[in-house]
Structures are given as structure tokens and as C-alpha cells.
Amino acid sequence: MIKGFIYDVFCGENASGNPCGVVMLDSWLDDTALLQIVTRLAQPVTAFVIADHFDAVNGSAKAMDDVGINSEAEADSGAYLIRWFSQAGEINLCGHGSLGAGAAIAEHWGDNLAQLRSKYGNLTVARFDQRYQIELPAWQAQYVELAELSVNLDASPQEVFTTRDLVVVVNSEEDVVNFVPDYSSLADIDPYHAFIVTAQGAPDEYVLRYFAPKIGIPEDIATGSAHCSLAPYWFDRLKADTLNVRQVSSGGGAFRVTKSGSESVLLSSFVKKRAEIDLF
């Protein structure tokens, strides 16, 4: 019996978080079968994982040290292969799907430190206290002029920069909340993956909204991979090494980001299991 699990990731006191599906397999199914499961689970993203028996983690303490994961994370560890799918097809990185996968692995396979390997790169998820923590790559900003881009923007930006994503920094949290997206324009932002609008919130905080209509997600509820783009920018601008983050979407997302050298960001959040489904 193959089971599907649904987890809410990036939960908080006033944030319902972002749901994801997780399916744990013994071996890969073909893409048609994977997409059928994605459709049945009906979540924004579904992560598929299998145990990587050919590359187990040797020495969990060293694995945590190597990637900067909190040393209080419990020691049991394992290596896994992962793929992420939206309703439209396979995607190249999903933070909340990875944290959901880490929670499923800890709960069902007993590994509190999971090395997740994909064809797009490797990630590590660790459980400590009541939170899950993931190390993400830090993407450096390339600044551009809005006039260079074919995007209709209902806001006056302070700055515009690009990474994998197109990011617009506006004046206030109110501007982020009130931003009205032009989805037809945002669906045609090649070569960028998604559009992010962001501003400072409290003194130790930034806020955001995240739009990815080109991959079938008009507006995401709570987005882990957004902080690959945003955290390095806000660390530098606010002169801080740790920041709280709120995604001011309809459901809301709550995050904590911590600088981990110049090339990575540690992202931590709460993860809750909502449902378990017998697939076949």
C-alpha cells in the first residue's frame, strides 16, 4: 500500500501555513503515475521521496556541522532522493515540500536528519525542538531597472533585483498587502521563476507575497524557496543575522531565517500533519 500524507508547513499563531503532499516510495514510478498522484492529493506541491541506499549519511554530527544545521537536532540520519511536482509538472526546488518530506521521514522512517538529494542540488532537513530546519542556497541579487522588464507593476518600487526570481522591494507592509497582481503579465516573466514583492515589517522582520503563475501557482500561501532570494538582501539591508518573516497571503506563513556563511540560509518553521490517504 502506497500512502500519501498532507502536511501544513510554515504554520504560526496567525498563519495556517502552506499545505503539501508527501509520498514515500520504494522506487520511482513513471512521471504519468506521479502526476496522477499529484492530481489526487490536490495540493499545491507534492514531494516524492525514496531512500538512497547507495549514499547513506556517514556520521550525523559531521553531516550537521558540514551544512550548518542546528547542533541540537537529533542524531538519527539518512539519505533520500526527492522530486517535487506542482499541479503543472515537476519543479526545481520547493522549500515547504522539502520540510514536509523531512517531517514525513522523521515520523515514518525515524530519521531526524534527512539529506535530500535531487538533480537540482542537495538539501538537509533536521528536526529540533518542535521545529524543522532546512539549509537553502543564498542567491545574490542582480539589480535591474524596472523599465528593462516587461511587467505591469501597480506599485512604486524602492529597488528591483533578480535571482532565479524577479523581486520588487516596496515602501511598506501595507504596499505588499495591497499589491494587485497582473497575472497575465506575471505569467510571462521569462527567464524568471516567480515574482516576489517584499518590504520591511517590524525592525527585525520582512514581509512578502509570492506569485508563480507560470508554474501553475497564481499566489503561493507560504514559500520556503523565496528566502534564497530575499534573506541575503534583508540580512544586508537590516544588518542582522537572524530575522523573522511573514508571508502576508490569504492563509499566511511564518518563518525564521538565519545567515549561514555567504552561500546558505537556514530556514526554520513549524510543520503539522493534517491527513493520511491510502493511494493504492
Side-chain angles (χ1 to χ4, degrees), residues 47-222:
F48 296 90
V49 294
I50 65 173
D52 184 2
H53 300 293
F54 300 102
D55 195 5
V57 176
N58 295 314
S60 58
K62 182 179 186 301
M64 286 186 281
D65 290 342
D66 287 347
V67 298
I69 290 290
N70 190 295
S71 60
E72 296 177 3
E74 302 196 24
D76 296 331
S77 63
Y80 298 85
L81 305 179
I82 187 166
R83 297 174 70 186
W84 307 273
F85 284 78
S86 72
Q87 292 294 322
E90 189 167 11
I91 58 177
N92 62 12
L93 175 64
C94 178
H96 88 278
S98 300
L99 284 166
I105 288 166
E107 180 178 353
H108 298 281
W109 285 341
D111 288 330
N112 293 308
L113 175 71
Q115 296 257 354
L116 304 178
R117 311 187 189 285
S118 81
K119 62 184 178 182
Y120 302 105
N122 301 330
L123 301 169
T124 301
V125 177
R127 178 169 66 179
F128 66 99
D129 295 332
Q130 298 180 41
R131 290 177 178 262
Y132 286 84
Q133 186 177 68
I134 187 170
E135 184 193 43
L136 297 172
W139 297 334
Q140 298 306 310
Q142 301 293 320
Y143 292 90
V144 297
E145 297 293 332
L146 187 62
E148 300 174 22
L149 307 169
S150 57
V151 176
N152 296 324
L153 184 64
D154 184 26
S156 299
Q158 292 182 351
E159 292 183 294
V160 181
F161 65 87
T162 65
T163 56
R164 177 195 73 170
D165 307 312
L166 174 58
V167 181
V168 171
V169 183
V170 294
N171 293 317
S172 67
E173 179 177 341
E174 182 180 9
D175 287 344
V176 175
V177 171
N178 293 332
F179 175 72
V180 179
D182 177 350
Y183 286 112
S184 61
S185 176
L186 298 183
D188 188 28
I189 58 170
D190 287 335
Y192 306 111
H193 179 82
F195 178 86
I196 305 172
V197 58
T198 185
Q200 184 176 356
D204 63 346
E205 175 191 70
Y206 62 89
V207 300
L208 74 140
R209 291 172 68 192
Y210 181 98
F211 306 91
K214 66 181 289 186
I215 62 167
I217 304 173
E219 180 172 2
D220 204 15
I221 300 169

Side-chain angles (χ1 to χ4, degrees), residues 189-268:
I189 58 170
D190 287 335
Y192 306 111
H193 179 82
F195 178 86
I196 305 172
V197 58
T198 185
Q200 184 176 356
D204 63 346
E205 175 191 70
Y206 62 89
V207 300
L208 74 140
R209 291 172 68 192
Y210 181 98
F211 306 91
K214 66 181 289 186
I215 62 167
I217 304 173
E219 180 172 2
D220 204 15
I221 300 169
T223 316
S225 62
H227 305 289
C228 301
S229 298
L230 296 180
Y233 171 85
W234 287 111
F235 289 148
D236 183 62
R237 178 162 169 175
L238 299 181
K239 308 302 180 187
D241 291 338
T242 298
L243 293 168
N244 295 314
V245 189
R246 287 180 294 119
Q247 192 154 339
V248 290
S249 60
S250 57
F255 318 78
R256 183 181 297 154
V257 293
T258 302
K259 184 184 293 185
S260 179
S262 62
E263 297 184 353
S264 61
V265 174
L266 297 181
L267 175 70
S268 64

Side-chain angles (χ1 to χ4, degrees), residues 27-68:
S27 59
W28 292 121
L29 306 175
D30 63 55
D31 285 7
T32 299
L34 295 180
L35 284 167
Q36 288 173 345
I37 292 173
V38 170
T39 300
R40 181 170 177 188
L41 291 178
Q43 301 305 309
V45 168
T46 295
F48 296 90
V49 294
I50 65 173
D52 184 2
H53 300 293
F54 300 102
D55 195 5
V57 176
N58 295 314
S60 58
K62 182 179 186 301
M64 286 186 281
D65 290 342
D66 287 347
V67 298

